[in-house]
Amino acid sequence: MESRGKPGFSGAGSLSGSRRSYMGAAAAAPSKPAVDGCGVALRVFILAATLVAAVVMGLDRQTSTVQVTIADTLPPLQVPVTAKWSYSSAFV
């Protein structure tokens, strides 16, 4: 007489004949999940892009020339102003 309980419930660990044929070979031996090459490549690309962005943020400087007018009769002064990543409000 065949048991009607869940497979492995009694500690035997074997499937009944009808359950084995229904679940196929996958139930008999668990397989390792396949490595997705596209997913691995995407993760490597994202890691590299993150590192490049961090380096660019750390080394970036922007210099701009600002015109300062003191009086209408005098010519405007050209003052170079340098901005660094540490001046950004997000990092203060």
Side-chain angles (χ1 to χ4, degrees):
M1 190 153 111
E2 216 173 292
S3 171
R4 298 228 178 236
K6 292 185 178 181
F9 184 72
S10 64
S14 65
L15 296 173
S16 64
S18 62
R19 286 287 281 185
R20 186 175 296 135
S21 64
Y22 174 72
M23 296 181 74
S31 63
K32 225 175 167 181
V35 176
D36 184 19
C38 183
V40 171
L42 183 62
R43 287 176 188 243
V44 169
F45 172 74
I46 290 172
L47 178 66
T50 302
L51 292 175
V52 167
V55 168
V56 167
M57 282 292 293
L59 299 177
D60 190 29
R61 282 182 191 212
Q62 183 176 358
T63 303
S64 180
T65 305
V66 178
Q67 292 184 358
V68 178
T69 305
I70 297 174
D72 291 335
T73 57
L74 296 174
L77 294 173
Q78 305 291 332
V79 180
V81 178
T82 302
K84 293 194 286 186
W85 69 270
S86 59
Y87 300 152
S88 177
S89 63
F91 297 111
V92 172

